[in-house]
Amino acid sequence: MDGRAEAPAAGTVLNALATGTGSAFAIDEYVRASVSLGGTNVTGTVAEAPDADTRLIERVAELIIAEYGDGQGATVETDSTVPMAAGLKSSSAAANAVALATLDALDATEAVTRERAARIGVEAARDAGVTVTGAFDDASASMLGGVTVTDNDEDALLVRDEVDWDVVTWTPPEQAFSADADVDRCRKIAPMADLVAELALAGRYRTAMTVNGFAFAAALDRPAGPMVEVLPAAAGVSLSGTGPSYVAVGDRDALEAVVDEWADRPGTIMETTTQTAGARPI
């Protein structure tokens, strides 16, 4: 049997590396997955990057099949409009899309809550070594849509809210892998992360993401200039994840100034919106 699903990318409100508390919001850009059951092994491919590491997507399918299938093999493929290793949560989106596509292929979609499916993706990410925190903040935002605040140490959902923002992302022509981040350096800014968490839990997401952006740009040795130059046109702006992408939110007219500023920089700009529906079979 075959299954297909899609899951949205996301931007950062609070990076969880400092304290384990994180927050992210879904955006209207997608990773899609197709799964065909058969054979004895699980093998994966990434359409836009044939040499990409496929351990994560294979492990997700393995865990889903072990729990809800009969031990069969599968062929897994993902394709994406989201740049890889860019801080826009492509790994979490890929894990979610594969989880739902595998459940779809097993005709088991109704047997599993989306939160549970997201946690299986988080478990797979830890097994594959592609995350430090488990990234339940990113996974939950992608799976459930809207903005989420989470305790990543416990994989606990603290808040889910819906926001309606226009979004601009800028991705420089480089990659950054979350697993390579300097966690000890990030932990030194834990008091700032606690402040960001307080703002997020109070619903002040755009202020929270801006404070997060400047704090984690310093901790991760990323430039603050891309954020400074789009204020105050952006209602909120942050380094997304560990970078290299930056994400700005607000209303479309004001964000035109953000596009104009970032257009002078090398890289890729996406103009999109927040997404509240989350991941789904297709």
Side-chain angles (χ1 to χ4, degrees):
M1 294 182 65
D2 298 336
R4 281 186 56 79
E6 66 180 10
T12 294
V13 174
L14 170 59
N15 191 315
L17 285 176
T19 65
T21 300
S23 179
F25 60 94
I27 63 174
D28 198 30
E29 300 290 336
Y30 295 88
V31 177
R32 295 179 174 86
S34 60
V35 174
S36 297
L37 300 178
T40 57
N41 298 315
V42 175
T43 58
T45 58
V46 178
E48 62 275 13
D51 296 326
D53 186 341
T54 57
R55 289 176 297 170
L56 172 61
I57 60 175
E58 290 166 352
R59 185 59 178 153
V60 174
E62 288 169 354
L63 290 174
I64 293 287
I65 290 169
E67 189 161 348
Y68 301 101
D70 295 318
Q72 57 266 66
T75 300
V76 181
E77 182 177 22
T78 63
D79 62 89
S80 177
T81 62
V82 185
M84 297 174 63
L88 296 175
K89 327 305 184 187
S90 62
S91 292
S92 292
N96 286 341
V98 170
L100 292 189
T102 307
L103 289 167
D104 186 35
L106 292 167
D107 198 25
T109 302
E110 299 302 319
V112 186
T113 67
R114 288 198 293 171
E115 278 190 47
R116 172 61 183 148
R119 289 188 176 93
I120 292 173
V122 167
E123 180 182 350
R126 290 184 176 126
D127 289 350
V130 300
T131 178
V132 174
T133 69
F136 185 58
D137 50 342
D138 304 340
S140 62
S142 171
M143 183 65 84
L144 303 177
V147 58
T148 60
V149 184
T150 63
D151 178 341
N152 282 11
D153 294 334
E154 301 294 333
D155 291 343
L157 180 65
L158 304 178
V159 172
R160 180 193 174 267
D161 199 358
E162 295 194 358
V163 292
D164 183 12
W165 303 328
D166 290 305
V167 180
V168 176
T169 70
W170 169 61
T171 303
E174 60 184 282
Q175 292 183 313
F177 294 91
S178 298
D180 296 334
D182 188 337
V183 178
D184 290 338
R185 186 172 168 89
C186 289
R187 286 175 177 157
K188 292 181 179 180
I189 61 166
M192 294 302 297
D194 287 337
L195 171 60
V196 175
E198 290 177 13
L199 291 167
L201 290 168
R204 298 177 62 189
Y205 305 116
R206 293 177 295 187
T207 301
M209 68 187 290
T210 304
V211 176
N212 174 87
F214 285 101
F216 278 91
L220 295 164
D221 200 24
R222 293 283 178 185
M227 294 179 289
V228 173
E229 66 195 21
V230 300
L231 292 171
V237 61
S238 185
L239 178 72
S240 196
T242 58
S245 294
Y246 295 79
V247 59
V249 303
D251 63 67
R252 180 58 58 202
D253 289 343
L255 290 179
E256 289 304 315
V258 175
V259 173
D260 290 344
E261 288 286 352
W262 283 349
D264 292 333
R265 293 177 172 272
T268 303
I269 291 173
M270 291 193 302
E271 297 182 64
T272 184
T273 63
T274 49
Q275 198 261 29
T276 58
R280 65 185 184 95
I282 53 175

